[in-house]
């Protein structure tokens, strides 16, 4: 089955998405997500200018060879732009292969290991009371796992908290917004938040929290230790992951499970963390870690060390990524949890999909392929709009991690 065309579709139905559509001589097409939040056009150009010309005429069934060709053949390996582009090709080819077989994608991976994919939602509020209300609402919706983020007394902005009662969306249109961050009030407030949640709602559901790369190792150790009584499912991204020895310090102080990896683009980013038992969950995603082919390799390594998966699933990962992730999740033996941040209705209308949510679990659906498509005519009505993630400064103006 030959690839006859491939196009890169950039659209902004509520937020920016980059989608690769591969067409074959047998009339089948497949799509893959290539969205890199705030740097979308870099991946679009990488695909359009450098990858698409190499795809035409090649056999759409040769997924592994194509992956190696794009990874090794580039010479310049890894990195978020390259790996998102490879991921898009890989996801589209898995979609095509599954459609050709007349099977849902998870069947090609080895079938279902579970009946549903436990997903965690985002409960958030501008203060403790609003966050408690949000936890209550999400429990009523059936979620078994809830990530809680709250506004912090003394700070105007905190990660994961929407502004003006709107839906939380990290990127904003125009140039990057600048926020002020201080670690001290956060470390004081976080245990109070989780104590209040456990006192009001009890212990029989999973609680998660994202520190979003903002702490030093010893601060992260303090946070995780202070949260131990509230039995978190995980604390995510306690420190940035460039210096991975930092995780040893956290481990020496606490038994709170650690999750990391949404910014990772390959197995080499997490190899040492996994092999040294420094993390409990790996958050690499289909779109940012080289597609199904590479994510499967990461999960297999992780399984040797009791590390489970917890794929990133914020709204900047398109419904195409969500669909592919759910096929991966329902198969992967060492599954932990999947992040679920529902897309805006307008985004969903551009990407019709077969996946669904019920009572805390999601399922990928049973249509051939990964079950997500793109309505190109509708997508064309929402052209790209420049948008960036925010940046953070300390109170004295020093730039720090967002
Ligand atoms: O583009 C960045 C977002 O995907 C990220 O900030 C979301 O940290 C995030 C999460 O855990 O979903
Ligand atoms: Mg995160």
């Amino acid at each position: 089955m030959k690839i006859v065309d491939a196009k890169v579709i950039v659209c902004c139905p509520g937020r920016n998405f980059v989608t690769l559509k591969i067409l074959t001589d047998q009339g089948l097409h497949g799509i893959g997500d290539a969205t890199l939040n705030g740097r979308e056009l870099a991946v679009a150009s990488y695909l359009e200018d450098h990858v698409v010309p190499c795809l035409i005429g090649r056999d759409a069934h040769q997924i592994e060879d194509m992956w190696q060709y794009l990874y090794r053949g580039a010479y310049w390996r890894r990195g978020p732009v390259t790996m998102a582009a490879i991921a898009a090709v890989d996801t589209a080819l898995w979609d095509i292969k599954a459609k050709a077989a007349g099977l849902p994608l998870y069947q090609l991976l080895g079938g279902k290991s579970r009946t549903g994919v436990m997903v965690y939602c985002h409960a958030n509020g501008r203060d403790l009371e609003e966050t408690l209300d949000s936890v209550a609402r999400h429990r009523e919706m059936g979620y078994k796992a809830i990530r809680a983020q709250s506004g912090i007394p003394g700070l105007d902005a905190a990660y994961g908290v929407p502004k003006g009662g709107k839906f939380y969306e990290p990127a904003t249109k125009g140039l990057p917004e600048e926020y002020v961050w201080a670690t001290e009030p956060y470390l004081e407030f976080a245990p109070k938040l989780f104590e209040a949640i456990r006192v009001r709602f009890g212990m029989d559901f999973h609680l998660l929290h994202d520190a979003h790369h903002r702490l030093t190792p010893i601060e992260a150790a303090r946070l995780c230790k202070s949260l131990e009584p509230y039995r978190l499912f995980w604390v995510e991204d306690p420190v940035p992951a460039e210096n991975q020895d930092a995780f040893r310090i956290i481990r020496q102080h606490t038994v709170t499970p650690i999750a990391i990896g949404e910014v990772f683009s390959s197995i080499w980013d997490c190899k040492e963390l996994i092999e040294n038992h420094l993390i409990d969950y790996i958050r690499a995603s289909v779109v940012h870690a080289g597609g199904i082919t590479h994510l499967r390799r990461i999960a297999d390594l992780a399984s040797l060390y009791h590390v489970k998966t917890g794929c990133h699933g914020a709204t900047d990962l398109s419904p195409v990524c969500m669909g592919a992730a759910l096929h991966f999740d329902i198969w992967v033996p060492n599954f932990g949890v999947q992040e679920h941040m529902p897309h805006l209705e307008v985004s969903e209308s551009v990407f019709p999909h077969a996946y669904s949510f019920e009572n805390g679990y999601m399922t990928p659906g049973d249509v051939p392929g990964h079950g997500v498509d793109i309505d190109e005519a509708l997508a064309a009505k929402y052209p790209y709009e420049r948008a960036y993630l925010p940046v953070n400064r300390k109170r004295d103006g020093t730039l720090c991690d967002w």
Side-chain angles (χ1 to χ4, degrees):
M1 183 168 37
K2 293 248 179 297
I3 298 174
V4 291
D5 195 9
K7 41 185 163 176
V8 181
I9 303 155
V10 182
C11 62
C12 188
R15 67 157 354 279
N16 290 312
F17 295 115
V18 180
T19 309
L20 176 71
K21 179 169 182 175
I22 297 182
L23 299 101
T24 67
D25 60 0
Q26 294 188 13
L28 291 177
H29 73 268
I31 61 171
D33 181 21
T35 309
L36 187 61
N37 207 2
R39 296 293 185 270
E40 296 87 358
L41 300 184
V43 191
S45 158
Y46 190 108
L47 280 167
E48 228 155 42
D49 297 329
H50 304 292
V51 172
V52 167
C54 304
L55 300 180
I56 311 303
R58 295 176 70 90
D59 183 355
H61 275 308
Q62 295 289 94
I63 299 179
E64 184 64 52
D65 184 66
M66 182 72 86
W67 197 95
Q68 301 293 337
Y69 181 84
L70 294 174
Y71 181 80
R72 294 176 199 283
Y75 185 67
W76 311 107
R77 295 179 185 194
R78 304 160 55 197
V81 175
T82 297
M83 297 306 277
I86 295 177
V89 176
D90 187 77
T91 307
L93 293 184
W94 276 105
D95 192 22
I96 290 171
K97 193 185 270 300
K99 283 176 178 167
L103 293 169
L105 174 47
Y106 67 79
Q107 293 291 15
L108 272 55
L109 298 174
K112 286 187 186 182
S113 301
R114 54 198 55 80
T115 53
V117 171
M118 181 172 76
V119 291
Y120 74 88
C121 60
H122 290 191
N124 43 37
R126 282 167 296 181
D127 56 23
L128 195 147
E129 276 310 315
E130 262 191 29
T131 307
L132 289 173
D133 290 347
S134 179
V135 171
R137 272 198 309 281
H138 285 93
R139 275 169 62 77
E140 277 161 27
M141 290 161 76
Y143 283 102
K144 313 288 180 265
I146 299 180
R147 187 187 91 164
Q149 308 289 142
S150 172
I152 298 157
L155 288 179
D156 285 341
Y159 165 74
V161 180
K163 281 165 289 169
K166 284 204 253 154
F167 214 86
Y168 179 65
E169 159 56 53
T172 44
K173 309 270 167 71
L175 294 176
E177 288 191 355
E178 297 207 0
Y179 297 150
V180 175
W181 174 252
T183 301
E184 300 76 13
Y186 168 65
L187 290 178
E188 281 306 312
F189 177 70
K192 293 180 187 139
L193 170 69
F194 285 94
E195 182 185 21
I197 296 173
R198 285 304 192 199
V199 166
R200 176 135 359 146
F201 302 104
M203 300 296 284
D204 71 337
F205 66 106
H206 299 302
L207 260 181
L208 299 83
H209 182 64
D210 191 347
H212 219 263
H213 323 263
R214 291 174 185 205
L215 306 176
T216 65
I218 203 68
E219 289 166 349
R222 182 176 143 203
L223 172 75
C224 294
K225 199 168 171 177
S226 71
L227 298 180
E228 278 176 6
Y230 316 117
R231 305 283 186 273
L232 265 61
F233 187 89
W234 77 36
V235 166
E236 179 191 339
D237 289 337
V239 290
E242 284 96 331
N243 175 1
Q244 302 196 339
D245 263 349
F247 288 82
R248 288 183 205 283
I249 296 173
I250 302 173
R251 278 295 207 223
Q252 281 159 9
H253 289 281
T254 181
V255 293
T256 293
I258 303 297
I260 192 149
E262 69 182 33
V263 301
F264 289 176
S265 49
S266 89
I267 199 165
W268 300 101
D269 295 326
C270 48
K271 177 179 177 290
E272 307 280 320
L273 291 172
I274 291 171
E275 288 178 347
N276 291 306
H277 297 275
L278 296 176
I279 57 169
D280 302 280
Y281 294 92
I282 179 69
R283 287 193 29 77
S285 65
V286 172
V287 56
H288 297 136
I292 302 256
T293 297
H294 196 62
L295 192 59
R296 191 164 65 163
R297 229 142 255 163
I298 294 175
D300 282 343
L301 172 69
S303 76
L304 304 181
Y305 297 88
H306 305 274
V307 173
K308 295 182 182 165
T309 63
C311 289
H312 186 203
T315 35
D316 49 294
L317 288 70
S318 91
V320 183
C321 180
M322 191 65 189
L326 289 168
H327 286 268
F328 171 83
D329 294 331
I330 208 146
W331 156 73
V332 69
N334 48 324
F335 172 73
V337 73
Q338 165 71 49
E339 182 175 15
H340 178 221
M341 194 180 166
H343 288 101
L344 295 172
E345 252 174 58
V346 60
S347 308
E348 300 222 331
S349 66
V350 168
F351 296 98
H353 55 76
Y355 61 76
S356 56
F357 170 86
E358 196 184 338
N359 201 25
Y361 294 88
M362 289 182 80
T363 43
D366 281 311
V367 303
H370 57 46
V372 188
D373 212 337
I374 182 162
D375 180 335
E376 285 184 69
L378 193 54
K381 295 193 175 145
Y382 302 101
Y384 169 80
E385 291 178 56
R386 186 171 305 287
Y388 289 92
L389 288 167
V391 298
N392 259 345
R393 290 187 188 275
K394 295 249 166 101
R395 283 172 170 151
D396 69 357
T398 309
L399 201 94
C400 58
D401 292 301
W402 171 70

